[in-house]
Short mmCIF file of all heavy atoms in Angstrom, two decimals:
data_model
loop_
_atom_site.label_atom_id
_atom_site.label_comp_id
_atom_site.label_asym_id
_atom_site.label_seq_id
_atom_site.Cartn_x
_atom_site.Cartn_y
_atom_site.Cartn_z
N LYS A 245 1.13 -0.83 19.63
CA LYS A 245 0.05 0.15 19.83
C LYS A 245 -0.83 0.10 18.58
O LYS A 245 -0.39 -0.33 17.53
CB LYS A 245 0.61 1.57 19.98
CG LYS A 245 1.59 1.70 21.14
CD LYS A 245 0.85 1.79 22.44
CE LYS A 245 1.77 2.01 23.61
NZ LYS A 245 2.12 0.74 24.29
N VAL A 246 -2.07 0.62 18.72
CA VAL A 246 -2.99 0.61 17.56
C VAL A 246 -3.57 2.01 17.35
O VAL A 246 -4.06 2.63 18.30
CB VAL A 246 -4.16 -0.40 17.75
CG1 VAL A 246 -5.08 -0.39 16.53
CG2 VAL A 246 -3.61 -1.80 17.96
N LEU A 247 -3.48 2.47 16.10
CA LEU A 247 -4.16 3.71 15.72
C LEU A 247 -5.29 3.33 14.76
O LEU A 247 -5.05 2.67 13.73
CB LEU A 247 -3.20 4.69 15.01
CG LEU A 247 -3.88 5.98 14.57
CD1 LEU A 247 -2.98 7.20 14.75
CD2 LEU A 247 -4.36 5.93 13.10
N VAL A 248 -6.52 3.74 15.10
CA VAL A 248 -7.65 3.49 14.22
C VAL A 248 -8.04 4.79 13.53
O VAL A 248 -8.25 5.81 14.19
CB VAL A 248 -8.85 2.88 15.01
CG1 VAL A 248 -10.04 2.76 14.09
CG2 VAL A 248 -8.46 1.50 15.60
N ASP A 249 -8.11 4.72 12.18
CA ASP A 249 -8.56 5.85 11.38
C ASP A 249 -10.09 5.76 11.33
O ASP A 249 -10.65 4.92 10.60
CB ASP A 249 -7.95 5.76 10.00
CG ASP A 249 -8.54 6.74 9.01
OD1 ASP A 249 -9.53 7.42 9.35
OD2 ASP A 249 -8.01 6.83 7.86
N GLY A 250 -10.75 6.63 12.10
CA GLY A 250 -12.20 6.60 12.17
C GLY A 250 -12.89 7.65 11.34
O GLY A 250 -14.06 7.96 11.61
N ALA A 251 -12.20 8.17 10.31
CA ALA A 251 -12.77 9.28 9.52
C ALA A 251 -14.15 8.94 9.00
O ALA A 251 -15.07 9.76 9.05
CB ALA A 251 -11.82 9.63 8.35
N GLN A 252 -14.31 7.70 8.50
CA GLN A 252 -15.61 7.32 7.93
C GLN A 252 -16.56 6.76 8.93
O GLN A 252 -17.78 6.93 8.84
CB GLN A 252 -15.42 6.32 6.78
CG GLN A 252 -14.70 6.86 5.58
CD GLN A 252 -15.46 7.98 4.87
OE1 GLN A 252 -16.69 8.09 4.95
NE2 GLN A 252 -14.73 8.87 4.18
N ALA A 253 -16.03 6.04 9.91
CA ALA A 253 -16.87 5.24 10.78
C ALA A 253 -17.67 6.06 11.80
O ALA A 253 -18.80 5.70 12.16
CB ALA A 253 -16.04 4.20 11.51
N ALA A 254 -17.05 7.14 12.28
CA ALA A 254 -17.53 7.74 13.55
C ALA A 254 -18.95 8.31 13.47
O ALA A 254 -19.57 8.55 14.51
CB ALA A 254 -16.57 8.80 13.99
N SER A 255 -19.48 8.54 12.27
CA SER A 255 -20.87 9.01 12.22
C SER A 255 -21.86 7.91 11.86
O SER A 255 -23.06 8.16 11.72
CB SER A 255 -21.00 10.16 11.19
OG SER A 255 -20.70 9.64 9.90
N HIS A 256 -21.33 6.67 11.72
CA HIS A 256 -22.22 5.54 11.30
C HIS A 256 -22.32 4.46 12.37
O HIS A 256 -23.31 3.77 12.40
CB HIS A 256 -21.70 4.95 10.01
CG HIS A 256 -21.60 5.93 8.88
ND1 HIS A 256 -22.71 6.60 8.38
CD2 HIS A 256 -20.54 6.35 8.15
CE1 HIS A 256 -22.28 7.42 7.39
NE2 HIS A 256 -21.00 7.28 7.25
N VAL A 257 -21.22 4.27 13.15
CA VAL A 257 -21.27 3.19 14.15
C VAL A 257 -20.80 3.76 15.49
O VAL A 257 -19.99 4.69 15.55
CB VAL A 257 -20.32 1.98 13.74
CG1 VAL A 257 -20.81 1.32 12.48
CG2 VAL A 257 -18.89 2.45 13.58
N ALA A 258 -21.31 3.19 16.56
CA ALA A 258 -20.92 3.67 17.89
C ALA A 258 -19.47 3.28 18.18
O ALA A 258 -19.05 2.15 17.84
CB ALA A 258 -21.82 3.04 18.96
N VAL A 259 -18.71 4.20 18.74
CA VAL A 259 -17.30 3.96 19.04
C VAL A 259 -17.12 4.20 20.55
O VAL A 259 -17.38 5.29 21.03
CB VAL A 259 -16.41 4.92 18.23
CG1 VAL A 259 -14.93 4.72 18.64
CG2 VAL A 259 -16.58 4.70 16.75
N ASP A 260 -16.68 3.15 21.26
CA ASP A 260 -16.40 3.29 22.68
C ASP A 260 -14.89 2.99 22.83
O ASP A 260 -14.47 1.82 22.83
CB ASP A 260 -17.26 2.26 23.44
CG ASP A 260 -16.99 2.32 24.96
OD1 ASP A 260 -15.86 2.68 25.36
OD2 ASP A 260 -17.90 1.95 25.70
N VAL A 261 -14.10 4.06 22.97
CA VAL A 261 -12.64 3.85 22.92
C VAL A 261 -12.16 3.04 24.13
O VAL A 261 -11.13 2.35 24.04
CB VAL A 261 -11.85 5.20 22.81
CG1 VAL A 261 -12.08 5.86 21.47
CG2 VAL A 261 -12.15 6.16 23.96
N GLN A 262 -12.89 3.14 25.27
CA GLN A 262 -12.44 2.34 26.44
C GLN A 262 -12.75 0.88 26.25
O GLN A 262 -11.93 0.00 26.55
CB GLN A 262 -13.13 2.85 27.68
CG GLN A 262 -12.59 4.21 28.13
CD GLN A 262 -13.11 4.62 29.50
OE1 GLN A 262 -12.66 4.09 30.51
NE2 GLN A 262 -14.06 5.53 29.51
N ALA A 263 -13.96 0.58 25.73
CA ALA A 263 -14.30 -0.86 25.48
C ALA A 263 -13.38 -1.44 24.43
O ALA A 263 -12.96 -2.57 24.55
CB ALA A 263 -15.77 -0.95 25.06
N LEU A 264 -13.04 -0.64 23.42
CA LEU A 264 -12.12 -1.12 22.36
C LEU A 264 -10.70 -1.26 22.90
O LEU A 264 -9.90 -2.02 22.31
CB LEU A 264 -12.10 -0.14 21.17
CG LEU A 264 -13.34 -0.13 20.27
CD1 LEU A 264 -13.28 1.11 19.36
CD2 LEU A 264 -13.42 -1.39 19.44
N ASP A 265 -10.39 -0.45 23.92
CA ASP A 265 -9.02 -0.43 24.45
C ASP A 265 -8.05 0.11 23.38
O ASP A 265 -6.86 -0.32 23.32
CB ASP A 265 -8.58 -1.82 24.97
CG ASP A 265 -7.34 -1.72 25.82
OD1 ASP A 265 -7.13 -0.67 26.44
OD2 ASP A 265 -6.56 -2.71 25.89
N VAL A 266 -8.55 1.00 22.52
CA VAL A 266 -7.70 1.48 21.43
C VAL A 266 -6.77 2.57 21.94
O VAL A 266 -7.12 3.33 22.80
CB VAL A 266 -8.61 2.00 20.26
CG1 VAL A 266 -9.42 3.24 20.65
CG2 VAL A 266 -7.79 2.30 19.01
N ASP A 267 -5.55 2.60 21.37
CA ASP A 267 -4.53 3.56 21.87
C ASP A 267 -4.79 4.95 21.26
O ASP A 267 -4.65 5.95 21.97
CB ASP A 267 -3.16 3.03 21.49
CG ASP A 267 -2.90 1.67 22.11
OD1 ASP A 267 -2.81 1.60 23.35
OD2 ASP A 267 -2.84 0.66 21.37
#
Side-chain angles (χ1 to χ4, degrees):
K245 303 281 183 265
V246 180
L247 178 141
V248 174
D249 170 353
Q252 293 297 335
S255 63
H256 303 298
V257 296
V259 177
D260 180 331
V261 292
Q262 289 189 75
L264 286 168
D265 195 26
V266 66
D267 301 293

